[in-house]
Amino acid sequence: MSLGPELILAVLFGTLLAGLALGFPVPFVMLGSSMLAGLLAVGPVFFHMMVLRVFEAMSSYTLIAIVLFVFMGLMLEKSGAAERLFTALHILLGRLRGGLALSVIAVCTVMAAATGIMGASVIIMGLVALPRMLERGYDPALSSGTICAGGTLGILIPPSIMLIVYAPMAGISVGKLFLAAVGPGLLLTLLYALYILFLSRLRPEQSPVASPKERTLSLPQKLWLMVSSLLPALLLILAVLGSIFFGVASPTEAAAVGAFFSVLLTWAYGNLSLGVLRETFYQTTRISGMILLIVAAAFVFTGAFMMAGGGTLVKETLLALPMGTSGILLVMTLAFFLFGLFMEWVGIVPVLVPIFTPVIDQIGVDPLWAAMLFCLAMQTSFLTPPMAPALFYLKGVAPPGIRFGEHIAKGVVPFIAIQLLAVALIALFPDLVLWLPGAALG
Amino acid sequence: MKLADWIDRLSIGTGKAVSWIVPVLVLELVYDTAARYLFNAPTIWSYDISYMLYGTLFMLGAAWTLQQEEHVRIDIVSDKLSPRARAAVDALGYLIFFFPAVGALVAYGASFSLESWMILERSGQSMWQPPIYIFKTVLPLAALLLFLQGLARFCRSLHVLWKGADA
């Protein structure tokens, strides 16, 4: 076997891209191309590596949190908590121009802090909020864009399953990465809200206020509505994130407790039945199989990549770029964005993070800061077709009058611009990321 | 298509059965967390039991995910193909990517777990040191289940390829 690393890596990525482009399932393409390249690089020793890496993924304590947060997200989706919260905010903010859109952003932020998945918020808001926005005369593009953008907060704001996969691959603790994501997540929420307020002044006809007959509740009724809808969610968030942030519990333990309480909350809201519970277990199994098989396959892929000498090659190539530290960082961020145009995060993070981590160490950039730049770049690309999961989810549940190109894709454009602004702000002010972990952990 | 239907039922049945690991995993971890933080008496078994439950869950559930066609794929190109062309591409994908790799996982996974059975290996991950050979057997079993489910899908693709979509 005297093939050079360049050739083997060309085989590895060539077959990977060909397989993915033809639409074959991601984990099997990863395993197949790893095997081809691995055998070319080292021969049958590859098989031992393959089995060991799959077993490593099977026996990871950290990754257990994925299953638990997936369950918690699915359970909260069925709990009715988001619907209640939206109804409450929508009544409270009825007088405010743009209030409905702000309610969507607020609910999405709360849901993002309570769960780790993106689909749930988009689907719930698409079913609950979108019809009410259209009914009141909101601009369809603004409405869809707000829901898609708000929904993608779920993969950034902790507890995010994307960050749980990211952390061990970059050699960072999950708790620390969660802390780092709080600043960028809230920054996005803030920018979205400012944009909506600004737009509702500029084009009032796009976001009308509620009619007087919609505002009939007395103050105590409003207060009770607020307390019963917001308090349980906030307590859940506080319990899960608080115990992770303050180092009281590991993310896995906190996720289990959160999963347990999400069942209680569903019961308290009167939406729990054995059928609902069983369906949630089933969905959790299939989604866990989907995510974690890719993680296992990506472990193998990275192994093959390293065996073929790819680590050294990428490192040397990137370090030889004549553009300095920020240029190298920009190239890597761009790579995450470009991959994100075609693939969901679960196919990207396990491949690119192990490859780039040695480079980040070498150029002396804070890995938390780099992580947030990469995650924001990916998050932006999730709003950008061809592969735009948030948009597809919304199209799946939106009323028939909502068109993909004219409303949804057009509606997210301003939010993509806001995302890019956030990437730029974080690139210019690393403290937006680093302040909180620094203050909390010293 | 008798065989393919039988394999479908096997994947679904296994998937539904392992789904009941989810509540066990949640309750077991909640119990351990409560024991640790409320009563200052952590269990010695929770760490190992947790990853074994988790590993078993997603590995044995993955065939069900495949049966339901829920594994992530990029369908920009394949959505534009005719059913026949898509069946041809799928069949090719199984031959090139799926069968060699998943087959190797079955074979090498089997010898991996067999070696563990021979020495009745124990886990070194915690103080408890439970037997690990049963858990290691999950790997080749799950790979075998996936392989079978892949075979079922492959047969169906060939069927569409030969007879057209509505056959």
Side-chain angles (χ1 to χ4, degrees), chain A residues 210-391:
Chain A
S211 61
K213 69 174 163 56
E214 274 187 81
R215 316 180 207 141
T216 48
L217 289 186
S218 64
L219 188 65
Q221 280 175 311
K222 282 185 176 174
L223 275 178
W224 167 243
L225 199 62
M226 206 59 221
V227 168
S228 71
S229 64
L230 193 57
L231 203 63
L234 286 184
L235 283 177
L236 191 64
I237 293 169
L238 206 66
V240 174
L241 286 185
S243 53
I244 299 175
F245 286 165
F246 296 113
V248 178
S250 71
T252 301
E253 292 166 328
V257 175
F260 185 72
F261 278 106
S262 69
V263 178
L264 290 186
L265 187 66
T266 311
W267 173 75
Y269 283 158
N271 290 321
L272 193 70
S273 69
L274 192 63
V276 166
L277 211 50
R278 187 176 51 212
E279 189 47 42
T280 313
F281 295 152
Y282 288 172
Q283 281 179 315
T284 305
T285 302
R286 295 204 306 270
I287 295 179
S288 301
M290 183 268 276
I291 296 175
L292 290 161
L293 197 67
I294 296 184
V295 174
F299 273 39
V300 176
F301 186 86
T302 316
F305 179 80
M306 296 303 169
M307 277 178 156
T312 331
L313 192 71
V314 166
K315 197 167 151 181
E316 280 167 3
T317 312
L318 281 175
L319 291 178
L321 288 176
M323 38 171 76
T325 306
S326 39
I328 297 172
L329 204 56
L330 183 68
V331 169
M332 292 192 282
T333 310
L334 217 54
F336 274 94
F337 180 78
L338 291 176
F339 269 65
L341 291 179
F342 302 99
M343 239 198 276
E344 289 195 51
W345 65 266
V346 59
I348 307 170
V349 168
V351 172
L352 289 188
V353 174
I355 296 177
F356 287 162
T357 296
V359 182
I360 293 164
D361 291 345
Q362 182 86 30
I363 59 179
V365 165
D366 192 301
L368 289 176
W369 182 47
M372 282 307 119
L373 286 175
F374 299 162
C375 289
L376 274 176
M378 272 188 287
Q379 204 198 5
T380 311
S381 66
F382 297 149
L383 290 174
T384 320
M387 185 65 191
L391 280 60

Side-chain angles (χ1 to χ4, degrees), chain B residues 94-139:
Chain B
Y94 275 102
L95 288 175
I96 297 173
F97 295 108
F98 188 93
F99 292 130
V102 179
L105 268 184
V106 177
Y108 284 84
S111 70
F112 171 73
S113 73
L114 197 65
E115 282 163 27
S116 184
W117 276 92
M118 305 260 267
I119 54 167
L120 295 178
E121 186 186 0
R122 293 182 160 269
S123 163
Q125 286 218 41
S126 74
M127 298 273 287
W128 188 39
Q129 300 193 325
I132 192 86
Y133 40 87
I134 301 170
F135 181 53
K136 283 193 171 178
T137 317
V138 169
L139 199 165

Side-chain angles (χ1 to χ4, degrees), chain B residues 18-68:
Chain B
V18 295
S19 293
W20 296 96
I21 289 179
V22 176
V24 177
L25 181 64
V26 171
L27 291 176
E28 168 267 312
L29 274 162
V30 168
Y31 175 81
D32 176 63
T33 309
R36 179 187 319 254
Y37 297 108
L38 299 181
F39 307 110
N40 203 17
T43 64
I44 144 168
W45 42 263
S46 176
Y47 184 89
D48 291 281
I49 290 286
S50 302
Y51 71 74
M52 287 181 185
L53 287 173
Y54 137 90
T56 309
L57 172 75
F58 87 84
M59 287 297 281
L60 289 176
W64 190 20
T65 313
L66 180 63
Q67 189 269 333
Q68 299 274 320

Side-chain angles (χ1 to χ4, degrees), chain A residues 31-45:
Chain A
L31 285 176
S33 46
S34 310
M35 184 165 146
L36 202 61
L39 288 178
L40 285 173
V42 292
V45 179

Side-chain angles (χ1 to χ4, degrees), chain A residues 416-428:
Chain A
I416 294 174
I418 295 174
Q419 291 256 5
L420 292 176
L421 175 67
V423 178
L425 284 175
I426 282 165
L428 290 174

Side-chain angles (χ1 to χ4, degrees), chain A residues 8 19 62-63 130 139 189 230 236 242 245 278 288 346 386 396 406 414:
Chain A
I8 296 173
T62 310
L63 292 175
L130 190 53
D139 178 56
T189 302
L230 193 57
L236 191 64
F245 286 165
R278 187 176 51 212
S288 301
V346 59
E406 187 182 332

